[in-house]
Amino acid sequence: MKEFRLDDGITYHVGRGSDCDIQLHSFSVSRRHASLVLANGVWTLTDLGSKNGTKAQGEAIQTTQLNGDRWLSFGDMQARFQLLGQQQLDQQAMQASQRWQRCTYLKEQLNSENDLERLLSRILEGVLQLAGTDRAFILLKDGADRLNVSAIRGVTTAALQRVDFAGSRSAVAEVLKTGRPLVTCDSLDHQFLANQPSIQLNAIRALACLPLALDSNSLLGVVYTDSLLLGKEITELDLKILEAITDNATVAIAATMISADIDELNQGSTDMFPHLSAW
């Protein structure tokens, strides 16, 4: 979720067009979708005849006043509107600094871990802690290029195979296809995911799925995490931290796998030629 700070005395246009103050990159969003303006001390949101509509708190609107914390939707793009004072902004900045410090510490831990199982466990622990989500799993490709559940928290491996987890599998499939992270902060209102059984039955409110890729041609797998908490958001800071973790995790996983392969080859050589172990 990208963050925009809104100032008094400006009419902000929301839309897909490059001339919009708040540009949203989705074809579900009209070129000039809606406007936000502060008048008489109150922010007003107005739909500008968009094709897919504007919602506030899940209700379609033409125009509405935003008197406090509100969830908004522009097409299938979600946004959270908040009225924040300077004290709250300062507190957010301090919390962001603390979270980056924890992220740096986690990256150092990952770099020093040479056991794959413990490494994956630490990755998931860090994802859940720093993103504030409830469940997470890592899928890694095997030698036959098949995805396997390699680590999991908050849900069972058997549950991932059930029909009510189809939406989560769809999110994974989309990331594997595009090679880009997929993040949503209200999956029940997301056009791509909302009709999936896992989203409806489990009431998944927010999810993030990120590729584990050394480059565009070297995809090792994906990291997935979600939350069932109403109002849970995955912010721009959350995404940056998750990307930092997964970028570091990808290198650590690849190095650990290579080390394990070398150890296996060395052991195989020793078994075949026992006399070499004397060297």
Side-chain angles (χ1 to χ4, degrees):
M1 180 182 290
K2 188 174 180 62
E3 296 181 356
F4 298 89
R5 184 174 295 188
L6 308 180
D7 297 318
D8 299 355
I10 301 175
T11 297
Y12 292 90
H13 289 101
V14 182
R16 197 175 77 250
S18 58
D19 60 335
C20 287
D21 307 285
I22 301 174
Q23 189 177 16
L24 303 179
H25 299 283
S26 170
F27 286 111
S28 70
V29 178
S30 298
R31 292 187 180 278
R32 184 160 288 202
H33 196 105
S35 68
L36 275 164
V37 62
L38 179 67
N40 300 320
V42 178
W43 284 95
T44 299
L45 172 65
T46 302
D47 184 83
L48 301 178
S50 65
K51 179 180 179 181
N52 293 311
T54 302
K55 295 179 181 178
Q57 297 295 98
E59 298 291 333
I61 61 100
Q62 290 301 315
T63 186
T64 189
Q65 293 183 340
L66 304 175
N67 298 312
D69 200 343
R70 295 287 186 274
W71 280 100
L72 311 176
S73 299
F74 306 97
D76 68 359
M77 299 290 285
Q78 290 79 48
R80 185 181 184 183
F81 178 86
Q82 291 179 291
L83 295 173
L84 300 176
Q86 189 58 50
Q87 183 177 358
Q88 291 169 297
L89 293 173
D90 292 342
Q91 185 178 13
Q92 282 188 350
M94 181 179 68
Q95 291 172 343
S97 176
Q98 292 171 342
R99 293 178 67 199
W100 274 117
Q101 290 175 9
R102 292 198 297 270
C103 179
T104 299
Y105 176 69
L106 173 63
K107 289 161 65 176
E108 292 172 353
Q109 286 186 311
L110 300 185
N111 290 337
S112 64
E113 184 57 73
N114 54 17
D115 178 83
L116 183 60
E117 184 176 345
R118 290 196 301 266
L119 172 63
L120 298 180
S121 179
R122 286 189 173 183
I123 292 169
L124 288 190
E125 288 171 3
V127 166
L128 292 172
Q129 180 186 40
L130 291 171
T133 43
D134 306 313
R135 310 183 299 184
F137 58 82
I138 294 175
L139 301 179
L140 293 180
K141 288 185 176 181
D142 61 18
D145 220 29
R146 295 171 302 198
L147 283 171
N148 296 294
V149 179
S150 299
I152 192 165
R153 291 289 184 278
V155 64
T156 65
T157 303
L160 298 183
Q161 308 303 322
R162 297 201 306 257
V163 66
D164 59 352
F165 241 93
S168 303
R169 294 198 297 271
S170 295
V172 169
E174 182 70 8
V175 171
L176 292 172
K177 176 183 176 182
T178 65
R180 298 192 300 270
L182 173 64
V183 174
T184 177
C185 297
D186 192 348
S187 303
L188 294 174
D189 197 33
H190 194 289
Q191 289 185 2
F192 170 64
L193 297 170
N195 293 326
Q196 297 293 342
S198 68
I199 306 301
Q200 294 176 339
L201 297 179
N202 292 326
I204 295 174
R205 294 291 178 169
L207 68 81
C209 188
L210 297 93
L212 293 166
L214 294 169
D215 54 51
S216 58
N217 297 316
S218 301
L219 185 67
L220 302 182
V222 299
V223 175
Y224 172 96
T225 188
D226 66 29
S227 174
L228 311 182
L229 181 64
L230 180 63
K232 169 62 185 173
E233 58 182 329
I234 296 178
T235 66
E236 183 178 17
L237 176 62
D238 291 329
L239 180 57
K240 287 180 178 179
I241 288 176
L242 286 172
E243 288 180 322
I245 293 173
T246 53
D247 286 348
N248 191 262
T250 301
V251 175
I253 290 170
T256 303
M257 286 179 164
I258 291 172
S259 178
D261 288 343
I262 292 174
D263 289 344
E264 186 176 346
L265 286 172
N266 288 338
Q267 183 61 46
S269 298
T270 301
D271 293 342
M272 292 178 64
F273 307 101
H275 62 281
L276 292 179
S277 60
W279 288 83

